Amino acid sequence: MPREGKKDVLLGTLDLLILRVVSSGPIHGYAIARRIEQISEDVLTVQQGSLYPALHRLEKKAFITSDWQTGETSKPVKMYTLTVDGNRQLEEEKKHWQDVSNAVNLVLRQA
Amino acid sequence: MSVRWINEFRNWVTALFRKDTLHDEFHAEMEQHLDFMIDDLTRQGMSREEARKEALKQFGNVEFLKEDCQASWGIRIWDDFVNDFRFAIRQLFKHKVHTAIIVLTLAICMGSNTTAYNLVVKLVSKPYDYADADQVVLVGKKWPKLQGDSIGQVSIPHYAFLEENTESFSSIGFVADGNFFDLDLNNSTRRVATDKITAGVWDVTGVRPVAGRFFSQEDVEQSSGKVAVLSEALWRELGGEDAQIVGEQLRLDGESYQVIGIAPESFYLRYERADVWVPRVFKPWEFQPDQRNNHSFSVVAKLKSGVSHDQANQRLRSLYESFLEIHPGDRLEQERTGATFGSVDINVSLTQGLEQIGMAFRSIQFVTLVVLVIGCLNVGGMILLKGYARIQELAMRKAMGASVFRLARQVYVEIVVYFLLGGAFSILVLKAAFQGSQLVQIDDIPWAGEWAIDANSLLVTAAIALGAALLTGVMPLVSLLRRELMEFIKSGNRSMTGSKSKHRLQSAFVISQVSLSVILLIMAGVLIRNLNAVLQKDVGFDREGRIAFEVPHPKYRFGEGEEDYRAKVLTFQERALLSICSIPGVINASTTNRIPIDVRHMNHSSFSMSHYEYEEGEPEATALRLVTRPGYFDTVGTRLILGRDFQETDTHQTERVVIISQNTMERYYQGMDPVGLSISIWGKDMKIVGVAEQVQDKPFFMEFDQYTIYFPAKQWHDLSNGQTTFVVHTQGDSEQQLASIEKAILEVDPKVTIDSITFDDVYKGATFTQRLPMIMTALFAGLALLLSSLGLYGLISFTVTERTKEFGIRMALGAGRRNILKRVMGGSSWLIGCGLTVGLVVSFLVCSQLNPVFSDVNTTNPVTFVGVIVFVLAICLFATVFPAHRATRINITRTLQY
Amino acid sequence: MKKIDFPQGTLEMLTLRVLFSGANHGFGIAQQIHVLSKEVLTVEEGSLYPALHRMQERGWIKSEWGRTENNRRAKYYQLTTIGRKRLGTEQESWETLATAISDVLGSRP
């Protein structure tokens, strides 16, 4: 049963955004969500209900790998890194998004 | 790209094994996320406590989250499976009736098909278990202009010629079968069937001995042919390994043979299994040219590697040309009959003579196939209906995000569960069928006793049925993919009208069920009637109270010299007959050399008539030889149409006389009275003294060559294969009489062995190609009918259940019971009517085509058709009445709550 | 062709936009979107009809049975007043969303 709140509009584009953020360097889940919100100036909000399934999905597909690292605090933190395949996927998805958003704009202009 | 798939797959597998670790890690990560959230919130000014509460609130349900994450890993599939399974089981129990019908149908289908398949395959297919059986051939003479390609027996000069010129064969062997020896056991004598063969036969068949070894050419020469190989069965009977038979001496027909080996149980050469194999030693006179007319022997050979069957045949044909150069007298026969040498695959050769068997059993195959189709239709239809009924639920779930794959999985799990249950039941059905088949005697075919539940055929049948069910299970799902989802979701409770396609399906289902049943029953009826017609034929002799006693009189005890032998045998016969006739209850007794309709002791000779002119290409007359004493015809109940029976005055010293069969007269003596005319056999003229009523001399499953000639025993005692068959017409308890008669014979000569059989038993054995298919066809037709009724019942009751609400409303609005009944039955009647019509039309068309095939019966006999219609109608009535009745008994308030 | 995941609500917006030009049936709407986007966007029934249903529930569109050129029965959808208003809002949302995503994608590390 989908439990997306009104703010959760990202659906399929979430994967793409996560890959983009992770491509900048190893980062943990919470930080990924916050980063996306930050850059988009809160237009895009990511709930953990969508974030973690997406992360697991991406990890299963071997686009990202995870690693428990000891951060600044003594507690171990799970960090995600982009893989080579992930990078390739990111480029593909980026192009795809371009095509889609262009297409949507086309329809909007002509209809 | 493919590397990515490998990585993904690897991750999935690892995840499967690391489920627990993942679980722990997941919780750790969530804890972590929570902590970060709390940190942020406290930084924004909240207290630790408030922050925690707020964070938890925002966080939502962890369990859901975990499920989603696990779903990402794809490891939920196993859990889903288990759930699907449990769901399927619950469904099964909820709709007990439908479940029962589906499972029963499957069980019957799979069980019956496997049984029939078993029977047909085992009885009609490869019986010979030789090494490289496809390279082993039967070599012999063939007469293409008369008998096509079937290979017949040869004489010893033919064999000698073949053996010298074996270009195509790596080994060749000679077989003289149908012999019997007296095996001297300590206290008694046992008759053993013996094949006399040359050492080459072992090479040809490539068989390995169970113990000891087989005889080679040297063995034969060194021992003057006094070595023997026993069958495994006989070996065990004599004590087997413990008794150390191999190497011992045995007395066969008074002569000492050394047992040098044991042949495996599966080994046999010709139709009737032998117990003993001894070398066939040739005497010089047997190679004389005049011996080449004695076609009584078989030749087996192994093709050289690289030589094809066609090549071998070609070489054999040219070989025969060479043979003709040595024996130019046979050219005439060749012109007339196309005679030549030929060879045929050994397995093919066996069924060649038994074509009737093949045809009879193919009919069983057809029937069971129809059963399978009906069964598949049933199961498929039921699953389809259920699928459509649940389609709203499925549509709903799809709209909410369930993938079609997920839905399909659930449907298929259910189907598979049905099949597992059905399969389990079918094993039971098989066991029952197996027991049942033991009741029918089919000992005459050597390999019939060996069939057991063949796993292969069970799997094949199951696969077919499963395939059908899966295919039909797919259809509602396909609709789901294409149609307007709204249509399904909205149509909610209006299932009384249902979708058009569902209705069409239901109609198609009913019509096909009914028409198939009609077709099946009619075909079965035709088949059974045809087979039965054969059984009703007048066989020309009476079976009631007739018993036969085969008593061999081997030369080693009755005398080697011709005069001596004759005197002893005839005396023995006379004394035994006197002894038999003195038993109270014996009406008549005589002797013969073979029992009518029996497979054994068939010997033929050609004969010629001076008055008869053969036409171009017409085969020379051959007749089955019967050797009888006076009184034979009365004893067996065969009428003499013309002339007289043999008399005591027809002796070795007097003129040679014969009696011919009715059809011989009709064929060659049209318009003439044959009595008094002479007939020429083996170059000797004999006078015809009588004509006997036509007798079914050979079993129904054999090519009946139709002509028979009777010879008086006193003139031709040596034609009876060294045995006398006493036939006795007796009254009273047959078992008791049998014992008394055997005792009477033994009183005359205590050392003889007696093989007794009633004419009834012989008849049973000869007619099994009629009776067995009849029984099986009836059985399967019944099964198919059962399946159809089940299917119809299931369908109609299902529809009724669906329309319960509608009926409830109608009844609340005042509709009477009758009205409801009419509604239910009305709908079905129309469909059933259609089904009947289709079935009748198709059957009629097929039957009128079949008339030439089923020559004994009028296939379009209206009686069968009418009978079947009535029967099927009755079934349909039952199938509809019960659910209809149920419909009227609906509790109104209950239904409206639905 | 790879399946395109729209952000939530994009489909509704496109539908409203298409209907703004005139009433149409479900198949026609999908076709329009497909053609106008130069065949980049393919709308599946599985997504379209639930969306149409949702919008109808919310009162953004209404439906009526009519006949097509081939004289077949089809359900025609058209914008309501609310729907027309909605179109503007949705379009705005789309702009914002698309920009935001592009920002994230283009953002420097």
Side-chain angles (χ1 to χ4, degrees):
Chain A
M1 236 179 273
R3 283 174 297 282
E4 289 130 49
K6 276 206 180 130
K7 288 204 189 141
D8 228 347
V9 298
L10 288 172
L11 275 183
T13 51
L14 181 57
D15 282 16
L16 166 59
L17 296 174
I18 292 176
L19 286 176
R20 178 64 187 86
V21 170
V22 176
S23 74
S24 306
I27 182 170
H28 59 80
Y30 185 73
I32 295 173
R34 295 294 86 80
R35 185 141 180 83
I36 292 175
E37 282 165 11
Q38 182 206 339
I39 299 178
S40 67
E41 290 172 21
D42 279 341
V43 172
L44 310 169
T45 44
V46 187
Q47 302 281 35
Q48 64 278 353
S50 358
L51 174 68
Y52 286 101
L55 281 172
H56 284 248
R57 193 168 52 236
L58 290 168
E59 193 178 351
K60 183 199 170 204
K61 288 190 184 159
F63 292 149
I64 56 179
T65 54
S66 65
D67 208 8
W68 287 88
Q69 295 174 10
T70 354
E72 307 93 35
T73 55
S74 52
K75 261 197 179 158
V77 173
K78 197 174 189 186
M79 306 289 269
Y80 294 93
T81 329
L82 195 66
T83 64
V84 174
D85 285 329
N87 196 31
R88 214 180 299 148
Q89 183 72 4
L90 172 59
E91 294 307 314
E92 255 182 61
E93 295 259 0
K94 247 165 68 174
K95 169 136 194 331
H96 215 72
W97 164 253
Q98 280 290 81
D99 295 337
V100 167
S101 59
N102 286 342
V104 172
N105 286 328
L106 262 178
V107 176
L108 287 177
R109 265 208 306 268
Q110 298 171 63
Chain B
M1 268 307 144
S2 55
V3 184
R4 192 155 45 99
W5 283 116
I6 296 175
N7 282 331
E8 199 173 327
F9 183 69
R10 200 176 24 147
N11 284 336
W12 179 70
V13 172
T14 345
L16 217 51
F17 285 110
R18 289 180 50 228
K19 235 171 121 179
D20 289 329
T21 333
L22 280 171
H23 174 97
D24 293 334
E25 279 193 19
F26 174 78
H27 276 288
E29 195 176 5
M30 293 306 110
E31 272 291 320
Q32 196 195 97
H33 188 105
L34 213 58
D35 284 340
F36 280 121
M37 270 180 116
I38 296 170
D39 284 344
D40 267 358
L41 288 170
T42 47
R43 231 176 288 145
Q44 285 170 24
M46 285 195 192
S47 72
R48 196 90 196 165
E49 273 306 310
E50 287 172 348
R52 197 177 177 84
K53 275 204 199 133
E54 182 64 31
L56 280 172
K57 207 167 66 173
Q58 282 187 28
F59 203 84
N61 191 323
V62 182
E63 275 311 310
F64 279 144
L65 192 55
K66 184 164 94 165
E67 275 181 21
D68 281 342
C69 290
Q70 280 186 324
S72 305
W73 280 101
I75 52 181
R76 270 197 64 80
I77 289 181
W78 175 249
D79 291 333
D80 284 346
F81 239 164
V82 173
N83 279 335
D84 285 345
F85 196 73
R86 279 205 233 121
F87 182 73
I89 301 275
R90 254 184 287 138
Q91 283 289 88
L92 284 181
F93 278 106
K94 210 163 108 183
H95 301 121
K96 291 204 193 82
V97 175
H98 301 144
T99 312
I101 291 177
I102 293 183
V103 169
L104 198 66
T105 305
L106 285 171
I108 291 176
C109 253
M110 294 203 272
S112 65
N113 243 279
T114 318
T115 311
Y117 182 74
N118 249 312
L119 211 58
V120 173
V121 164
K122 294 286 180 164
L123 286 173
V124 177
S125 67
K126 203 157 92 163
Y128 283 115
D129 204 15
Y130 303 154
D132 305 323
D134 51 345
Q135 292 292 96
V136 176
V137 291
L138 181 72
V139 183
K141 227 169 123 175
K142 61 182 182 184
W143 297 266
K145 288 191 187 164
L146 312 185
Q147 300 174 4
D149 272 334
S150 71
I151 304 287
Q153 295 186 307
V154 295
S155 69
I156 294 178
H158 286 120
Y159 168 70
F161 187 78
L162 284 167
E163 200 210 354
E164 272 167 42
N165 299 289
T166 55
E167 290 165 15
S168 327
F169 305 121
S170 58
S171 47
I172 191 167
F174 175 94
V175 179
D177 60 9
N179 306 291
F180 285 91
F181 279 156
D182 281 347
L183 173 63
D184 226 352
L185 300 173
N186 284 333
N187 296 325
S188 56
T189 324
R190 192 191 183 302
R191 292 271 285 160
V192 287
T194 310
D195 286 342
K196 296 186 184 174
I197 61 177
T198 59
V201 171
W202 304 118
D203 293 323
V204 170
T205 59
V207 179
R208 295 246 173 83
V210 168
R213 62 195 173 79
F214 297 136
F215 47 83
S216 62
Q217 195 52 36
E218 290 86 59
D219 288 321
V220 175
E221 279 161 21
Q222 275 172 11
S223 61
S224 315
K226 295 289 184 277
V227 283
V229 169
L230 306 185
S231 72
E232 200 175 338
L234 180 62
W235 180 54
R236 273 197 243 114
E237 217 185 290
L238 297 176
E241 240 179 85
D242 303 321
Q244 290 184 326
I245 310 282
V246 178
E248 288 292 310
Q249 298 282 335
L250 283 183
R251 288 192 81 77
L252 292 164
D253 265 12
E255 301 220 20
S256 196
Y257 286 75
Q258 188 188 41
V259 179
I260 66 161
I262 312 293
E265 199 161 346
S266 57
F267 174 71
Y268 65 99
L269 284 170
R270 295 297 284 162
Y271 193 64
E272 289 135 10
R273 290 185 189 250
D275 292 313
V276 178
W277 290 270
V278 296
R280 177 58 157 85
V281 179
F282 299 109
K283 305 204 179 59
W285 63 266
E286 294 185 298
F287 294 104
Q288 297 303 311
D290 64 347
Q291 284 303 308
R292 71 185 193 283
N293 287 322
N294 186 8
H295 298 90
S296 305
F297 311 102
S298 310
V299 178
V300 292
K302 192 153 188 177
L303 292 172
K304 273 197 186 132
S305 66
V307 177
S308 72
H309 287 273
D310 284 330
Q311 284 172 327
N313 262 299
Q314 262 174 6
R315 292 201 199 145
L316 284 170
R317 264 201 295 275
S318 49
L319 248 185
Y320 194 71
E321 292 299 312
S322 318
F323 183 81
L324 284 180
E325 271 162 39
I326 308 175
H327 305 281
D330 288 343
R331 278 209 193 279
L332 194 62
E333 184 200 23
Q334 196 201 35
E335 262 169 46
R336 254 220 312 261
T337 64
T340 182
F341 286 137
S343 69
V344 70
D345 188 305
I346 195 100
N347 285 317
V348 175
S349 75
L350 197 70
T351 50
Q352 234 173 30
L354 306 174
E355 248 160 46
Q356 292 252 7
I357 297 186
M359 209 200 74
F361 287 101
R362 298 240 184 278
S363 58
I364 299 183
Q365 247 180 337
F366 166 73
V367 174
T368 56
L369 221 70
V370 178
V371 169
L372 183 63
V373 170
I374 291 183
C376 283
L377 262 179
N378 263 346
V379 173
M382 298 230 76
I383 291 177
L384 201 60
L385 289 172
K386 295 190 79 179
Y388 270 114
R390 297 231 303 267
I391 207 161
Q392 302 142 358
E393 176 207 326
L394 293 173
M396 197 83 75
R397 293 178 59 202
K398 180 167 186 257
M400 291 199 296
S403 70
V404 180
F405 177 66
R406 179 83 182 74
L407 299 174
R409 225 172 49 210
Q410 186 182 10
V411 173
Y412 281 150
V413 167
E414 212 176 313
I415 293 177
V416 170
V417 170
Y418 277 132
F419 264 86
L420 289 177
L421 273 177
F425 271 115
S426 72
I427 305 278
L428 291 175
V429 171
L430 270 181
K431 287 246 160 96
F434 190 65
Q435 307 286 9
S437 72
Q438 309 279 40
L439 298 172
V440 184
Q441 285 185 319
I442 41 176
D443 315 304
D444 292 319
I445 294 201
W447 59 99
E450 285 169 2
W451 81 271
I453 297 178
D454 180 19
N456 281 340
S457 44
L458 179 61
L459 284 172
V460 166
T461 320
I464 294 176
L466 185 66
L470 290 177
L471 269 172
T472 43
V474 138
M475 286 169 69
L477 292 168
V478 167
S479 312
L480 208 55
L481 283 174
R482 292 151 127 252
R483 304 293 209 67
E484 296 230 353
L485 287 178
M486 287 308 106
E487 200 183 292
F488 292 123
I489 294 175
K490 265 203 188 164
S491 72
N493 297 326
R494 296 196 304 132
S495 52
M496 46 189 161
T497 41
S499 61
K500 252 204 232 147
S501 61
K502 187 168 91 163
H503 263 183
R504 260 186 278 141
L505 264 165
Q506 284 177 353
S507 316
F509 185 72
V510 173
I511 294 180
S512 56
Q513 281 288 332
V514 176
S515 54
L516 264 179
S517 308
V518 169
I519 295 173
L520 180 68
L521 279 181
I522 290 180
M523 301 305 314
V526 167
L527 205 68
I528 291 178
R529 279 181 51 229
N530 185 58
L531 293 169
N532 195 42
V534 172
L535 288 177
Q536 301 304 334
K537 276 195 198 157
D538 179 18
V539 287
F541 63 92
D542 294 328
R543 303 199 299 274
E544 199 193 322
R546 267 78 175 181
I547 317 177
F549 302 85
E550 189 178 315
V551 180
H553 28 76
K555 290 211 161 92
Y556 79 97
R557 278 200 303 111
F558 280 71
E560 288 288 347
E562 203 183 310
E563 294 288 332
D564 201 17
Y565 187 65
R566 175 178 35 246
K568 288 225 171 81
V569 168
L570 291 174
T571 319
F572 168 70
Q573 285 176 353
E574 279 149 29
R575 288 176 61 198
L577 282 172
L578 272 174
S579 183
I580 293 172
C581 287
S582 67
I583 301 174
V586 169
I587 305 171
N588 245 321
S590 182
T591 69
T592 176
N593 65 326
R594 57 168 272 111
I595 311 169
I597 220 172
D598 194 18
V599 285
R600 299 170 297 170
H601 306 305
M602 286 191 258
N603 298 297
H604 302 82
S605 295
S606 49
F607 61 95
S608 57
M609 301 141 285
S610 47
H611 73 280
Y612 189 79
E613 269 175 36
Y614 283 97
E615 280 168 23
E616 176 76 38
E618 195 189 335
E620 193 173 43
T622 46
L624 186 65
R625 297 194 307 248
L626 266 281
V627 179
T628 63
R629 287 189 78 106
Y632 168 78
F633 295 104
D634 282 336
T635 312
V636 298
T638 304
R639 276 186 315 126
L640 281 164
I641 315 177
L642 292 175
R644 64 167 178 85
D645 191 0
F646 298 132
Q647 288 159 358
E648 296 298 330
T649 49
D650 297 315
T651 69
H652 191 73
Q653 270 78 32
T654 61
E655 186 189 15
R656 296 284 178 263
V657 293
V658 291
I659 295 174
I660 61 174
S661 63
Q662 182 177 2
N663 62 348
T664 318
M665 171 178 80
E666 283 164 5
R667 176 83 173 79
Y668 295 109
Y669 293 88
Q670 282 171 11
M672 303 190 291
D673 182 2
V675 177
L677 295 181
S678 80
I679 192 169
S680 173
I681 308 176
W682 311 302
K684 301 190 177 73
D685 281 330
M686 311 191 190
K687 191 167 87 173
I688 300 173
V689 294
V691 180
E693 173 188 12
Q694 187 56 35
V695 171
Q696 176 76 27
D697 274 313
K698 291 194 184 173
F700 289 113
F701 57 83
M702 285 191 149
E703 220 23 77
F704 191 23
D705 78 349
Q706 295 173 308
Y707 309 116
T708 308
I709 299 187
Y710 300 86
F711 300 82
K714 276 194 169 162
Q715 293 181 349
W716 300 102
H717 71 282
D718 52 349
L719 282 182
S720 50
N721 293 15
Q723 50 90 11
T724 298
T725 302
F726 293 91
V727 285
V728 185
H729 180 196
T730 176
Q731 274 175 346
D733 179 37
S734 55
E735 213 181 310
Q736 185 192 355
Q737 291 297 81
L738 196 144
S740 316
I741 297 170
E742 278 191 3
K743 213 168 78 157
I745 298 176
L746 284 170
E747 266 167 27
V748 175
D749 184 343
K751 281 234 184 96
V752 294
T753 57
I754 306 177
D755 191 10
S756 57
I757 188 169
T758 63
F759 272 35
D760 274 328
D761 284 337
V762 176
Y763 184 76
K764 255 202 264 179
T767 55
F768 87 96
T769 42
Q770 271 65 35
R771 288 179 306 113
L772 185 61
M774 268 173 76
I775 296 173
M776 299 229 80
T777 306
L779 197 71
F780 281 110
L783 273 179
L785 210 60
L786 178 68
L787 288 179
S788 287
S789 0
L790 277 179
L792 277 171
Y793 177 80
L795 169 68
I796 295 174
S797 77
F798 196 76
T799 350
V800 166
T801 318
E802 281 203 315
R803 295 172 68 179
T804 316
K805 192 165 172 191
E806 174 200 344
F807 291 147
I809 293 174
R810 284 186 191 275
M811 282 174 76
L813 290 178
R817 289 234 149 85
R818 272 248 191 87
N819 190 303
I820 303 289
L821 215 81
K822 253 202 335 204
R823 279 185 182 280
V824 174
M825 301 197 57
S828 358
S829 313
W830 157 245
L831 290 174
I832 291 172
C834 277
L836 279 175
T837 319
V838 172
L840 280 174
V841 169
V842 174
S843 312
F844 189 76
L845 287 171
V846 176
C847 281
S848 40
Q849 293 298 319
L850 281 181
N851 243 327
V853 176
F854 289 106
S855 48
D856 296 310
V857 127
N858 176 15
T859 48
T860 54
N861 184 326
V863 171
T864 323
F865 283 74
V866 171
V868 167
I869 295 176
V870 170
F871 196 53
V872 173
L873 263 176
I875 302 270
C876 292
L877 204 73
F878 272 113
T880 49
V881 154
F882 285 114
H885 185 68
R886 216 159 30 96
T888 63
R889 294 183 138 276
I890 293 171
N891 185 325
I892 298 175
T893 38
R894 280 259 310 275
T895 66
L896 292 178
Q897 281 169 7
Y898 251 110
Chain C
M1 231 199 111
K2 205 176 143 202
K3 191 156 185 246
I4 296 173
D5 291 322
F6 298 114
Q8 178 86 314
T10 315
L11 181 55
E12 269 107 356
M13 176 197 60
L14 289 174
T15 311
L16 290 175
R17 191 74 187 81
V18 166
L19 287 178
F20 185 71
S21 315
N24 208 338
H25 47 76
F27 180 71
I29 296 171
Q31 218 186 9
Q32 275 275 68
I33 295 176
H34 186 70
V35 165
L36 290 177
S37 68
K38 297 225 174 99
E39 297 186 8
V40 173
L41 304 175
T42 316
V43 184
E44 288 183 2
E45 288 84 36
S47 329
L48 179 63
Y49 288 102
L52 287 170
H53 183 69
R54 274 197 299 273
M55 291 190 279
Q56 218 177 347
E57 299 262 274
R58 293 182 205 148
W60 295 2
I61 58 180
K62 60 179 186 222
S63 65
E64 202 172 52
W65 282 99
R67 296 239 166 227
T68 66
E69 306 91 49
N70 312 348
N71 210 20
R72 277 163 133 207
R73 273 199 7 129
K75 216 180 204 182
Y76 277 83
Y77 297 92
Q78 56 179 181
L79 287 184
T80 60
T81 341
I82 307 175
R84 242 182 298 266
K85 286 207 200 109
R86 211 50 223 188
L87 176 57
T89 334
E90 290 296 306
Q91 227 170 303
E92 250 183 72
S93 297
W94 160 255
E95 301 279 322
T96 324
L97 200 63
T99 321
I101 294 177
S102 302
D103 282 343
V104 175
L105 289 180
S107 65
R108 268 173 291 273

